[in-house]
Amino acid sequence: MAFGTFLRRIAAPMLVTSALVACSTDGWMPPEAIDGSATVSSLQPVPPGSVTRSQSTQTYATASAPIATMDGAGATAASGNYLRVPEQSYEGGGTQSQARNLPMIDSDEGLGVTAGPDAPPQALAIPAGGVNMDEGLGVAQPVVGLAQEQSQEIAEGNASQPVVDGIGTDNPSMLQPAALPQSEIGQEMEAQPTWDDQTPVTMPSRPKRTSPQEQQVAFLGRPQNPMSAPQSQPEMPGVLPASERACRDQLRRLGVQFRDIPRISNGPTCGIDYPIELSGLSGGIAVKPATKLNCQLTLAFAKWVKYELAPSSRARYWSGVKTIVPMGGYSCRRMNSSSRNPWSEHARGNAIDVGKFVLKNGKQIDVRKKGFFAFREKGLLKAVRSDSCKYFNTVLGPGSDRNHKDHFHFDLRTRKTGYRHCD
């Protein structure tokens, strides 16, 4: 067994070597070239004449010189320029016998200046006076530029604009029209020209330009803003003056309830230009019935109620004011309703009469004179009389006269001395 295994180890490499040698011999090479359709297992050069199949061959012309030295017909060019025009055939027969070089792209021949392909190049002719661009553009009359026209005006002494001499120097100066230099043409034109028969030539006059200072310009007035018009000027209908707007702004800040009503006019003496109707005051105090007043008196009345009447009521009755009952506002009548007296402040809505105060706890305080034991009521009415004089120019009430025994009268009557009447 051991000997047999040894023999197999020696024989196996020898068999593999023999097989490789046998495969590489000529007997195993198929008679077919590499471009055949049969499968081959090795490659080997095919000797000449061993191919039996017919093959079609085609011979291509090759040049013996580089392309850089070839002309259009395949011949070597001595100049090295291979951009040559080949021979061309024509309908009448024959060919162009001689090849020529292509023209340069920026040459006259390349731009089409020559008359024919073989004509010598011709140079562009420039007129002696230069090229007339206006004529080329179809303009009949020559165009005069602004700079040229101004130069002509300066030369002729007709410049409408200031002319400064000595620009670039330390002493520039402005020339007057009379001091402008005269051109040679202008000097020649100073002499009166004549025709051949000594007849004077009438020169056309040039229209004189109008200077900007001589032009008349119309200005339209700017309309004034009616909101900012002075008080001395009449206000536009429906627009409140600034004082009335400011008064109403203060009423709104105090919490006053009011509304604007149309103008009241009852003759030359009675009326209110900008009336309002008062219906409530700060702190939820109602004014019943609503009263027609001017804004200035309403503002004074609202301040007095807020800063004086309401605190006095809370201090004495531990209750605020609920309702104020007025007995009159605007009324077209005279003082004390007597025809012999002057016109009352009520005729302009500048006064208000109050007859009763109703507190939030239900207590009703009549303005009429109280008895001996009505201490709190008398104290409140006394405070009303004294404190209201800080806000009004006239305060009348019970004890002043018989016409004011049941109400307080407050107005803003203006006196020349500034006197305040509080009785």
Side-chain angles (χ1 to χ4, degrees):
M1 283 300 287
F3 181 73
T5 303
F6 176 76
L7 291 177
R8 284 196 298 273
R9 293 178 178 178
I10 297 175
M14 296 178 63
L15 290 175
V16 172
T17 305
S18 300
L20 294 175
V21 172
C23 290
S24 63
T25 59
D26 296 339
W28 292 93
M29 184 66 187
E32 185 67 32
I34 190 170
D35 56 351
S37 61
T39 303
V40 297
S41 59
S42 63
L43 299 176
Q44 180 177 339
V46 179
S50 61
V51 179
T52 59
R53 293 184 180 182
S54 61
Q55 298 179 353
S56 61
T57 60
Q58 184 176 1
T59 303
Y60 297 95
T62 59
S64 59
I67 187 64
T69 60
M70 299 294 294
D71 59 5
T76 304
S79 61
N81 183 8
Y82 62 91
L83 295 178
R84 305 278 289 176
V85 179
E87 295 182 355
Q88 300 178 359
S89 60
Y90 298 92
E91 295 180 358
T95 60
Q96 186 177 357
S97 60
Q98 189 176 5
R100 60 186 179 84
N101 295 333
L102 292 176
M104 299 300 292
I105 191 171
D106 56 348
S107 62
D108 295 338
E109 183 180 0
L111 295 176
V113 178
T114 57
D118 297 332
Q122 300 177 0
L124 294 176
I126 301 176
V131 179
N132 190 352
M133 299 297 294
D134 298 335
E135 182 180 359
L137 295 175
V139 180
Q141 299 294 333
V143 179
V144 180
L146 178 61
Q148 184 178 359
E149 183 178 2
Q150 292 179 350
S151 299
Q152 294 176 359
E153 292 178 354
I154 295 174
E156 297 174 3
N158 297 327
S160 59
Q161 302 294 333
V163 180
V164 180
D165 188 16
I167 297 178
T169 63
D170 295 337
N171 297 317
S173 60
M174 184 176 67
L175 299 179
Q176 300 297 330
L180 295 179
Q182 298 290 333
S183 63
E184 297 179 358
I185 298 178
Q187 295 176 359
E188 294 177 359
M189 295 300 294
E190 290 180 358
Q192 181 67 24
T194 57
W195 300 103
D196 294 340
D197 56 354
Q198 303 303 321
T199 304
V201 178
T202 304
M203 301 298 296
S205 60
R206 183 174 184 177
K208 183 180 179 181
R209 286 190 177 185
T210 303
S211 61
Q213 291 78 5
E214 298 177 0
Q215 297 179 359
Q216 299 295 329
V217 181
F219 292 95
L220 298 178
R222 180 181 297 178
Q224 296 182 354
N225 185 1
M227 304 300 291
S228 61
Q231 296 300 320
S232 58
Q233 297 181 359
E235 297 289 338
M236 296 181 62
V239 179
L240 292 175
S243 59
E244 295 291 334
R245 294 197 306 270
C247 178
R248 283 159 174 76
D249 291 340
Q250 295 185 56
L251 291 179
R252 295 185 183 95
R253 286 194 292 267
L254 290 174
V256 178
Q257 298 178 7
F258 68 96
R259 69 183 183 92
D260 290 311
I261 58 177
R263 182 175 181 269
I264 301 175
S265 178
N266 294 326
T269 307
C270 300
I272 307 175
D273 292 335
Y274 307 100
I276 63 175
E277 187 177 69
L278 176 64
S279 59
L281 299 171
S282 175
I285 301 175
V287 178
K288 293 182 179 180
T291 307
K292 298 177 182 179
L293 303 168
N294 62 33
C295 187
Q296 288 71 26
L297 181 80
T298 305
L299 180 59
F301 188 71
K303 290 181 178 180
W304 169 69
V305 172
K306 179 179 177 63
Y307 300 120
E308 305 296 341
L309 178 62
S312 297
S313 173
R314 287 192 297 266
R316 290 173 173 83
Y317 289 94
W318 297 86
S319 177
V321 180
K322 180 181 179 181
T323 305
I324 296 178
V325 181
M327 295 181 63
Y330 168 77
S331 178
C332 185
R333 59 181 175 85
R334 294 179 180 270
M335 296 176 59
N336 300 326
S337 300
S338 175
S339 60
R340 293 172 297 182
N341 293 336
W343 285 95
S344 173
E345 295 296 320
H346 288 278
R348 297 191 296 271
N350 202 33
I352 185 172
D353 294 338
V354 177
K356 184 185 294 186
F357 304 105
V358 180
L359 305 183
K360 292 183 178 180
N361 59 6
K363 175 69 175 178
Q364 296 186 9
I365 302 176
D366 196 339
V367 176
R368 289 178 294 183
K369 190 174 181 180
K370 303 301 177 182
F372 179 77
F373 294 101
F375 299 108
R376 287 194 297 181
E377 292 183 4
K378 289 192 297 183
L380 180 60
L381 296 177
K382 183 179 180 180
V384 168
R385 188 185 300 267
S386 61
D387 296 337
S388 60
C389 202
K390 304 175 185 177
Y391 302 88
F392 302 99
N393 296 337
T394 304
V395 177
L396 301 174
S400 299
D401 52 51
R402 61 184 180 88
N403 296 307
H404 298 90
K405 61 182 179 180
D406 58 350
H407 67 276
F408 279 109
H409 171 89
F410 309 103
D411 69 41
L412 291 177
R413 179 183 177 184
T414 303
R415 298 176 176 89
K416 296 181 180 180
T417 60
Y419 168 71
R420 293 175 181 266
H421 183 77
C422 299
D423 187 5

